[in-house]
Amino acid sequence: MNRKNKVSMWIIIAATLLILLLSCLFIMQKNTENHFRDTSDILVSQIKDLIVANENEKDRLQESLKEEYLSRAVSLAYILESNPLMETNYDELCKVASLLSIDEINIFGKDGLIAYSTVPEYVGFSIYSGGQIAFFEPMIADRSLELCQDMTPNTKDGKLIMYAAVWRADGDSIVQIGITPERLLAAMEEKDISRLLDGMPLDHTLYFIYDSEQDKIVSATEKSLLGLSDAEMPFRLENHTEKTGKTAFLGKNYLYTLTDYEGYT
């Protein structure tokens, strides 16, 4: 074989090896991307399941507390009916509130005005005033109603309270109680979405949850991202119309996958 043929043969061999190498690299890259997408799909599905489970648990606990607080309101209504002068005595009202582990007691007259309360500045408020208190307005027309409101800030200091109200059996007044739902607040803190990614395995992968309504990252494995708006993020969501791809982020190159779910990304 002459020198020219040998050179040609080595060129063909080198080109073939280069093609094989590039093909292997391409296949490896595609396998890596496919593995990343498959793994991400599994993790995103798990995160969705956790969000749903957390919301269901909070709803279940809140419904359980509503039943408990309505029972306390019924008990208080019975106590007040048996001791008519108690509701007019501020100190006695405060004592019974303490005994029943109640934060507030409000007594509405038949006209819908608060006549007596453990929070003196509430006296004179009308059930027709609108806002939070209007939840109980239907009770004026329907005395069979026993209502308990979802957790809401109270008027006095913005403290989160659940209010429950029932009519006294004699129909003389509406007895409303307000209680700070400590167990619900503890459960909400424990299951807050900001903690959702705390136990996520890092393995060189970055995870975050962006709340579109609040326009900020509410949970992330990279803590420096917490609280950032879309405009402040190195990785602009609005610039990534594709749900999968490659991007530079925090000085590194990443494969990414984006999933929208219930207002979160």
Side-chain angles (χ1 to χ4, degrees):
M1 183 179 295
N2 59 36
R3 179 178 178 82
K4 184 177 180 180
N5 288 338
K6 286 183 178 180
V7 170
S8 297
M9 181 184 69
W10 283 113
I11 290 174
I12 292 171
I13 291 173
T16 302
L17 290 174
L18 179 60
I19 291 171
L20 287 172
L21 177 61
L22 292 175
S23 297
C24 287
L25 290 174
F26 177 78
I27 291 171
M28 289 174 62
Q29 178 67 21
K30 284 299 178 184
N31 286 340
T32 298
E33 291 179 10
N34 290 336
H35 175 71
F36 166 75
R37 292 190 181 101
D38 290 343
T39 302
S40 296
D41 287 344
I42 292 171
L43 289 172
V44 167
S45 179
Q46 291 175 344
I47 290 171
K48 288 180 180 179
D49 289 344
L50 280 173
I51 291 174
V52 172
N54 286 352
E55 290 301 317
N56 288 342
E57 174 61 19
K58 286 187 284 187
D59 289 344
R60 184 201 64 77
L61 179 55
Q62 181 162 258
E63 291 306 309
S64 173
L65 288 176
K66 284 182 178 181
E67 292 182 12
E68 177 185 329
Y69 295 166
L70 280 170
S71 294
R72 288 198 218 179
V74 169
S75 297
L76 176 60
Y78 176 77
I79 291 171
L80 294 178
E81 189 174 346
S82 302
N83 302 272
L85 296 180
M86 182 180 288
E87 67 180 21
T88 65
N89 188 311
Y90 174 78
D91 291 334
E92 290 298 317
L93 269 186
C94 290
K95 284 180 184 178
V96 75
S98 178
L99 287 172
L100 294 176
S101 298
I102 294 170
D103 293 291
E104 298 178 15
I105 296 175
N106 301 306
I107 312 297
F108 290 82
K110 296 175 183 178
D111 56 2
L113 297 179
I114 296 179
Y116 311 102
S117 176
T118 55
V119 185
E121 52 263 50
Y122 288 178
V123 174
F125 277 20
S126 171
I127 207 167
Y128 301 106
S129 298
Q132 170 266 321
I133 200 171
F135 175 83
F136 298 95
E137 186 178 329
M139 295 183 69
I140 297 295
D142 186 351
R143 297 192 176 191
S144 68
L145 288 178
E146 296 181 348
L147 298 180
C148 187
Q149 197 173 27
D150 290 346
M151 187 167 57
T152 185
N154 68 358
T155 303
K156 179 183 177 183
D157 50 20
K159 184 179 180 181
L160 289 173
I161 294 280
M162 285 178 69
Y163 289 99
V166 299
W167 276 94
R168 274 176 37 172
D170 61 7
D172 187 65
S173 60
I174 294 174
V175 177
Q176 183 193 67
I177 64 172
I179 301 176
T180 302
E182 301 289 355
R183 278 180 286 161
L184 180 58
L185 290 170
M188 289 176 65
E189 182 179 359
E190 179 185 348
K191 298 180 182 299
D192 189 79
I193 197 166
S194 65
R195 298 188 174 190
L196 200 59
L197 299 181
D198 284 355
M200 191 68 69
L202 297 179
D203 62 8
H204 306 294
T205 306
L206 181 67
Y207 302 95
F208 65 82
I209 298 175
Y210 169 79
D211 185 330
S212 57
E213 184 175 338
Q214 299 183 61
D215 184 27
K216 70 177 182 179
I217 292 178
V218 293
S219 187
T221 52
E222 170 56 55
K223 299 306 179 187
S224 65
L225 297 177
L226 287 174
L228 293 184
S229 68
D230 187 22
E232 295 170 325
M233 289 170 56
F235 180 90
R236 294 295 302 278
L237 294 177
E238 66 178 27
N239 294 337
H240 292 79
T241 55
E242 297 296 327
K243 293 304 180 182
T244 59
K246 302 174 184 177
T247 190
F249 191 39
L250 297 177
K252 297 180 181 179
N253 293 319
Y254 283 95
L255 296 172
Y256 73 85
T257 181
L258 300 174
T259 302
D260 295 325
Y261 178 71
E262 298 290 336
Y264 298 111
T265 299

